[in-house]
Amino acid sequence: MRKISGLNAVDVFPAAIILAVSLTVTPNISVDPVGMPKLFLLTLFSFGYFLYLISKHKSYQANYISMHFSLSILYIFLLATNIILSKSPITQLLFGVSGSNLGFITLLFFTVVFLGISTYSTRKFLTHFKISFFTVLLINIIYSLLQDLKLDPVNWVYGASPLIGTLGNPENVSLLLGIGIATLASYLISSSTNSKIRIAIIFVIFLAGYEIIRTGSAQGVIISILAIVLNLFL
């Protein structure tokens, strides 16, 4: 299998896609400074990832690939069926609405990434994924705090909440922060986490919780509460 600086490409590449897509914005350059650059990077990198997987598919057992491949094909079929049956504008179905771009193309390439991760990645992918996830989480916590303090260097056109992070809207940021709290809570109660790390985690959790409240979105609140309950009773 091809290596990138001693690392497996199938483990590093999807984690790099997550990092790049989550953090990339192009203010003052494009009409849609959040959705379009993310869609462009997702399309570019996922297509390259897809070509790489094709070149390596013979190295893996066909019966192991078939289950993931079949589920992915079924999901794509359902997406395509929705396009055929829907009366919405075709551009909206393909690219989504401005600011989110969760249309057919985005979901198609998310499926490619899922297929690659679920089929080809090793346990080392989790390490790279954690690095990407916590990097995105911490950057969005810091950036959202700057937005809340009105210290954002970018002149965004805000909606109801000024906290949009690098994800473009408060709902997405709230969801990310909620998932972050859920993840950090598991580290907080782990016996292998030392006291200094626990203090840092508690600080980050409280900061993320404050920002969730400031977004005005319920998604992060629900996920955070569920995470706390699950960590306390499981």
Side-chain angles (χ1 to χ4, degrees):
M1 183 182 299
R2 183 183 175 185
K3 303 283 185 177
I4 298 179
S5 300
L7 301 173
N8 287 333
V10 291
D11 294 327
V12 176
F13 208 62
I17 292 174
I18 294 169
L19 183 66
V21 172
S22 299
L23 295 179
T24 299
V25 291
T26 55
N28 304 322
I29 295 178
S30 57
V31 176
D32 182 355
V34 178
M36 289 308 296
K38 294 182 186 302
L39 177 60
F40 174 77
L41 284 180
L42 177 65
T43 302
L44 179 66
F45 288 126
S46 297
F47 185 70
Y49 186 48
F50 176 69
L51 294 178
Y52 178 77
L53 294 178
I54 289 177
S55 70
K56 295 296 180 181
H57 79 281
K58 292 182 180 179
S59 303
Y60 300 90
Q61 296 179 2
N63 60 345
Y64 181 69
I65 294 176
S66 61
M67 180 182 70
H68 301 93
F69 183 78
S70 299
L71 290 174
S72 299
I73 290 297
L74 175 61
Y75 179 64
I76 293 172
F77 172 77
L78 293 175
L79 292 176
T81 302
N82 179 63
I83 291 179
I84 296 172
L85 299 180
S86 177
K87 296 181 180 180
S88 300
I90 187 64
T91 53
Q92 180 178 325
L93 293 170
L94 290 176
F95 299 102
V97 296
S98 178
S100 64
N101 295 99
L102 286 176
F104 175 79
I105 294 177
T106 300
L107 296 175
L108 173 65
F109 284 110
F110 273 144
T111 305
V112 171
V113 176
F114 159 77
L115 181 61
I117 293 172
S118 61
T119 305
Y120 299 104
S121 293
T122 68
R123 290 180 179 271
K124 292 182 179 180
F125 164 73
L126 292 176
T127 301
H128 303 304
F129 173 77
K130 289 177 184 178
I131 293 173
S132 293
F133 174 75
F134 285 119
T135 299
V136 172
L137 177 65
L138 291 176
I139 288 177
N140 272 275
I141 288 176
I142 294 171
Y143 190 33
S144 295
L145 181 61
L146 291 176
Q147 292 173 335
D148 188 51
L149 296 174
K150 296 180 171 54
L151 297 175
D152 190 348
V154 179
N155 187 25
W156 298 104
V157 178
Y158 297 114
S161 171
L163 275 68
I164 60 174
T166 63
L167 303 181
N169 64 67
E171 287 78 16
N172 288 347
V173 172
S174 176
L175 183 60
L176 171 65
L177 296 175
I179 295 173
I181 289 177
T183 306
L184 291 172
S186 65
Y187 283 97
L188 184 63
I189 64 174
S190 173
S191 59
S192 61
T193 305
N194 63 53
S195 57
K196 292 182 179 180
I197 298 296
R198 279 199 174 94
I199 293 173
I201 289 175
I202 291 173
F203 174 76
V204 174
I205 286 177
F206 273 102
L207 186 56
Y210 164 77
E211 291 178 353
I212 287 175
I213 295 173
R214 292 288 291 157
T215 63
S217 173
Q219 297 182 65
V221 176
I222 295 172
I223 290 178
S224 300
I225 293 174
L226 287 175
I228 293 172
V229 171
L230 290 174
N231 279 290
L232 286 175
F233 295 100
L234 293 182

